Amino acid sequence: MPRRDPCQVLGVPPDASPAAIKAAWRRLAREHHPDLAIADPAAARSATRRMAEINAAYEELRRRAEPGIGAGARPRPAGRPGGAGGAGRAGAGAPGSGA
């Protein structure tokens, strides 16, 4: 089955803002979440597939709108360069260390 255009899946225009994309994703997630169809296994499977399509479209549009976000990109915690955040320093705030 060919993939649908992510804008079409979420119902947003191609020039939609990140806020509009997120709002559309949240609206569709509330409407199609598989937990809402838990009593009917067939409906739950269908809802799971639909949510997967919605989530994939949201991720693709989010990556397009915010170029710094990619499959392997993760924000680093505040603190020292390298993402340690100061947690690796010996005795820094450890209980009983007197710091």
Side-chain angles (χ1 to χ4, degrees):
M1 180 167 102
R3 268 183 70 167
R4 287 175 48 197
D5 175 55
C7 293
Q8 196 175 44
V9 171
L10 295 183
V12 296
D15 61 345
S17 70
I21 292 167
K22 186 172 187 174
W25 172 75
R26 290 179 61 116
R27 178 183 49 79
L28 290 170
R30 279 192 304 270
E31 184 179 333
H32 296 283
H33 199 280
D35 288 351
L36 299 174
I38 200 159
D40 181 4
R45 283 190 300 275
S46 176
T48 299
R49 285 190 298 272
R50 178 71 173 129
M51 270 309 298
E53 181 183 36
I54 291 165
N55 287 336
Y58 172 67
E59 286 301 317
E60 185 172 334
L61 290 177
R62 193 174 70 116
R63 273 190 236 112
R64 285 184 199 173
E66 300 174 26
I69 296 177
R74 291 191 313 222
R76 290 188 170 186
R80 298 185 321 185
R89 294 182 301 183
S97 68

